Amino acid sequence: MEERKMQKPTESEPLLTVSSLVKYFPVKEGIFSKVVNQVRAVDGVSFSLNSGQTLGLVGESGCGKTTLARVLLKLIPATSGEIIFDGMNILQADSGQLRKHRRNMQLIFQDPFSSLNPRMRVGKIISEPLSHHNMGDSRERRKKAEELLEIVGLQKSDIWRYPHEFSGGQRQRIGIARSLVLNPKLIICDEPVSALDVSIQSQILNLLDNLQKEFNLTYIFIAHGLNVIRHMSDRVIVMYLGKIMEEATSDKIFASPLHPYTKALLTAIPVPNPRSIDFEATVEGDVPSPINPPSGCRFHTRCPEVMEICSKKEPGFTLIEGDHRVACHLFGE
């Protein structure tokens, strides 16, 4: 079975480039299912990701993080836009091209129990992708499953057990092993530790960190917890109602946040000494409906620094100091 050799990250050609990506879900009513509106889940998202890096996606529930992940994997179709992965526009790829390309894109699910088939033994769960892509014979597949179980911290003999015989953290290790079996280049981690006990979360995060170094993996890491994002990410994207509010390196986001929404998220992090946070931001009210988002800046209805222009004009991205960009009229023209 083929092994992917470790490669150095390249700065010249990103592994993933997303341009003006849009995903709307139709809202239908009546006996004829007439489309009366659209849920604007992802609305004009653009970013790039280099090989070997981790991009953190953060935002409140309903901001479009998981929808974005599923569109990137083409598990659901995009409304418009462009996704260039490893030199190919996957939105224009036919079924044969996409089947081959899927080997390089994998997903770690949030729920480590429901994502595993309870009727299949662990060895079969891990090796099933190999069978699907006609890679190796039964002996080679079993050997690969045993190797991966040891890599993620379990035992070879666990291939004969069922998912219900494991703890939550162990089940997530099985899910991680399954995501590695095809030697992917990109793994999307959809809140992989949110369903785990706090004592187990750090173990899984350290495992993912070690695996990235060993196999030169590229991650898109989705999480609610900003402490998790800070630990894992090289770059961070802050999303709100389907749009990017701010993007920068992890250090800049946590040391010098610019957008009022980013500041509000950071002040919500529990810290031993609250006085160590040198900025304050409060956000009141609930997230507006993505069916009828606010005009102008989508955050203006909850922004503590709102101005008159915020409700009238949508802010463009302003580049601040190198690769730090923010969509806010406080920093626009």
Side-chain angles (χ1 to χ4, degrees):
M1 300 209 293
E2 63 177 297
E3 297 288 340
R4 183 164 60 86
K5 295 182 179 179
M6 188 167 182
Q7 299 174 348
K8 294 182 179 180
T10 173
E11 298 293 335
S12 57
E13 295 183 5
L15 177 66
L16 176 68
T17 302
V18 178
S19 302
S20 303
L21 188 63
V22 173
K23 176 58 185 177
Y24 291 171
F25 294 97
V27 178
K28 300 179 181 180
E29 290 183 359
I31 59 174
F32 298 107
S33 297
K34 181 180 178 181
V35 177
V36 296
N37 214 325
Q38 302 279 353
V39 176
R40 295 162 174 80
V42 177
D43 200 358
V45 168
S46 300
F47 65 89
S48 62
L49 178 60
N50 291 332
S51 177
Q53 291 188 334
T54 298
L55 176 68
L57 286 179
V58 65
E60 293 173 282
S61 296
C63 72
K65 304 186 300 295
T66 297
T67 299
L68 174 60
R70 295 181 181 276
V71 172
L72 293 177
L73 294 172
K74 209 176 180 181
L75 297 178
I76 54 177
T79 302
S80 63
E82 187 177 69
I83 303 173
I84 306 296
F85 175 73
D86 203 19
M88 175 183 290
N89 188 343
I90 66 172
L91 298 184
Q92 297 178 355
D94 58 34
S95 58
Q97 293 173 320
L98 188 60
R99 177 184 173 88
K100 183 178 179 181
H101 235 54
R102 283 194 186 281
R103 292 167 49 182
N104 289 319
M105 306 172 72
Q106 296 297 314
L107 176 65
I108 299 174
F109 295 91
Q110 177 178 355
D111 188 343
F113 188 76
S114 63
S115 62
L116 304 178
N117 190 332
R119 298 183 179 182
M120 295 174 61
R121 297 183 189 270
V122 166
K124 180 66 174 177
I125 290 173
I126 295 175
S127 63
E128 187 178 24
L130 297 174
S131 302
H132 183 72
H133 288 276
N134 298 315
M135 298 174 64
D137 55 29
S138 59
R139 184 184 61 82
E140 291 175 318
R141 294 167 189 167
R142 184 177 67 251
K143 182 180 178 181
K144 185 70 173 179
E146 290 174 344
E147 291 174 354
L148 286 172
L149 281 174
E150 289 192 314
I151 287 174
V152 300
L154 298 176
Q155 303 296 320
K156 284 184 178 181
S157 57
D158 289 334
I159 64 170
W160 305 111
R161 299 170 65 186
Y162 290 93
H164 72 269
E165 300 179 67
F166 296 88
S167 67
Q170 289 173 327
R171 287 195 290 263
Q172 194 61 292
R173 290 175 187 270
I174 295 168
I176 293 171
R178 178 178 57 184
S179 72
L180 292 172
V181 73
L182 294 175
N183 304 308
K185 296 181 179 180
L186 172 68
I187 297 180
I188 297 180
C189 308
D190 188 5
E191 302 195 46
V193 297
S194 63
L196 304 178
D197 294 337
V198 175
S199 59
I200 304 300
Q201 289 182 7
S202 60
Q203 297 178 21
I204 299 300
L205 293 176
N206 289 334
L207 172 63
L208 290 171
D209 192 33
N210 292 334
L211 291 173
Q212 182 177 39
K213 295 173 182 176
E214 182 177 355
F215 298 105
N216 190 36
L217 297 171
T218 304
Y219 290 148
I220 293 179
F221 201 95
I222 300 171
H224 282 105
L226 283 172
N227 284 334
V228 174
I229 290 290
R230 186 175 193 173
H231 175 76
M232 293 296 298
S233 303
D234 298 300
R235 296 189 59 78
V236 177
I237 284 179
V238 180
M239 290 188 66
Y240 184 80
L241 273 183
K243 287 188 172 292
I244 296 177
M245 298 288 104
E246 187 169 357
E247 179 185 1
T249 63
S250 180
D251 290 340
K252 287 182 179 178
I253 285 288
F254 286 90
S256 304
L258 299 178
H259 201 285
Y261 181 58
T262 308
K263 294 178 181 179
L265 291 177
L266 291 175
T267 55
I269 301 176
V271 293
N273 181 13
R275 295 178 181 176
S276 64
I277 299 178
D278 58 2
F279 50 83
E280 295 184 2
T282 57
V283 174
E284 298 180 354
D286 297 324
V287 179
S289 170
I291 298 177
N292 294 299
S295 60
C297 175
R298 294 192 175 180
F299 186 60
H300 85 264
T301 58
R302 306 172 68 201
C303 182
E305 301 181 56
V306 64
M307 302 180 293
E308 184 177 354
I309 191 176
C310 298
S311 62
K312 299 178 180 179
K313 181 180 179 182
E314 182 177 339
F317 276 110
T318 301
L319 202 58
I320 308 290
E321 193 180 353
D323 54 0
H324 192 165
R325 60 177 184 148
V326 60
C328 182
H329 288 298
L330 292 171
F331 304 94
E333 296 180 359

